[in-house]
Amino acid sequence: MNNYVLEARSISKSYILGSACIEVLSKLHVRFEEGLFFTIQGASGSGKTTLLQLLGGLEKPDKGYILYRGENILQLSAKGLAKWRAETIGFVFQSYHLLPELSALENIELPALIIGKGNQKKAMELLEAVGLEKRANHRPNELSGGEQQRVAIARALRNDPPVILADEPTGNLDGETGKQIINLLLSIQKEKNKTLILVTHEREIASLGDKQLLLSHGKITEIESKFSTEI
């Protein structure tokens, strides 16, 4: 029995741009083992964000399958897919995507409310874990970029998902703050044995991955690994 928590099998994805059909991913295959840190590099427009959206069930491929622990998530109903996504995937975006009218604490609690498991005590524990317990009642516009990203990370962890998908999480941050955010993500990933899949254009960050992947011409290859297993 394998230990792959998430797998993209022969997926293809195209977009229509005017009269042109742009193929972003072509029969791509990649597998992610549980508890490892994966980094994905690639040129701008290579499909990195598209791949994360497919893995997280935000989009569907034109062809192929997305498997979670061997089960095809594309066979789920819309409601079932939304429930799977809320319970299984934690998203961290470059632009934070916090709701401006909600406090830091309320933003963190939102994923739990979606699945009917609200508990602000747990949200506060996560706020403490990212060092922002004194900012619980502050709205996003009252927080720095680094603080907003910490809130976003806490929100991603609220339902204790086994998989975290991070799309350029340091892209809007200065170098020092970016390092702090990466260190926070890695400490959480190791402590809680999460599978962390992180898209980055920064080689220094990419080099930290247990497995370092390159997305190019619609396909993905492993360029470096601390392990001998194949993707």
Side-chain angles (χ1 to χ4, degrees):
M1 186 174 180
N2 66 52
N3 61 341
Y4 300 122
V5 64
L6 201 58
E7 179 178 357
R9 184 177 294 176
S10 299
I11 59 171
S12 296
K13 184 68 175 179
S14 299
Y15 295 101
I16 302 298
L17 188 61
S19 60
C21 180
I22 310 298
E23 186 177 54
V24 181
L25 303 176
S26 177
K27 297 180 181 178
L28 180 149
H29 184 69
V30 63
R31 300 178 294 194
F32 300 95
E33 291 97 334
E34 191 160 15
L36 296 187
F37 171 35
F38 296 83
T39 58
I40 301 175
Q41 302 174 73
S44 179
S46 61
K48 303 184 298 297
T49 294
T50 296
L51 176 58
L52 283 196
Q53 290 174 335
L54 292 170
L55 291 172
L58 291 174
E59 290 196 43
K60 292 186 177 182
D62 300 329
K63 297 179 181 178
Y65 308 95
I66 303 295
L67 305 179
Y68 175 69
R69 302 193 189 281
E71 299 294 326
N72 182 11
I73 69 167
L74 302 179
Q75 293 179 337
L76 296 171
S77 65
K79 184 176 180 180
L81 183 60
K83 184 175 185 292
W84 171 84
R85 192 165 50 236
E87 295 177 340
T88 308
I89 306 293
F91 292 97
V92 182
F93 302 97
Q94 179 177 342
S95 299
Y96 324 132
H97 291 315
L98 302 177
L99 293 182
E101 68 274 16
L102 299 183
S103 68
L105 186 66
E106 290 167 338
N107 266 287
I108 293 170
E109 184 64 2
L110 196 57
L113 295 176
I114 289 172
I115 61 172
K117 295 183 179 180
N119 184 336
Q120 281 204 347
K121 182 181 178 181
K122 290 186 177 180
M124 180 56 79
E125 289 172 355
L126 285 167
L127 204 55
E128 292 172 357
V130 299
L132 290 178
E133 61 272 20
K134 294 181 180 179
R135 310 287 267 168
N137 296 318
H138 288 69
R139 288 185 169 82
N141 65 355
E142 300 173 305
L143 303 173
S144 69
E147 288 172 334
Q148 289 185 64
Q149 194 60 294
R150 286 174 179 269
V151 172
I153 290 169
R155 179 186 60 190
L157 296 169
R158 178 59 187 85
N159 292 337
D160 197 24
V163 179
I164 301 172
L165 302 180
D167 190 3
E168 297 279 8
T170 64
N172 287 335
L173 306 174
D174 63 74
E176 185 57 37
T177 304
K179 288 180 182 178
Q180 294 173 7
I181 290 299
I182 291 299
N183 288 336
L184 175 61
L185 277 169
L186 288 180
S187 66
I188 290 169
Q189 181 262 328
K190 289 180 171 62
E191 179 184 341
K192 297 183 176 296
N193 195 41
K194 304 292 186 185
T195 299
L196 173 60
I197 305 170
L198 184 146
V199 161
T200 182
H201 66 276
E202 298 182 45
R203 291 186 180 181
E204 184 178 356
I205 294 175
S207 68
L208 300 173
D210 296 319
K211 292 194 174 185
Q212 300 165 41
L213 310 177
L214 176 66
L215 181 57
S216 179
H217 301 295
K219 299 184 184 297
I220 204 160
T221 55
E222 185 176 303
I223 55 177
E224 192 167 340
S225 174
K226 299 176 183 177
F227 305 92
S228 58
T229 54
E230 298 178 353
I231 64 171

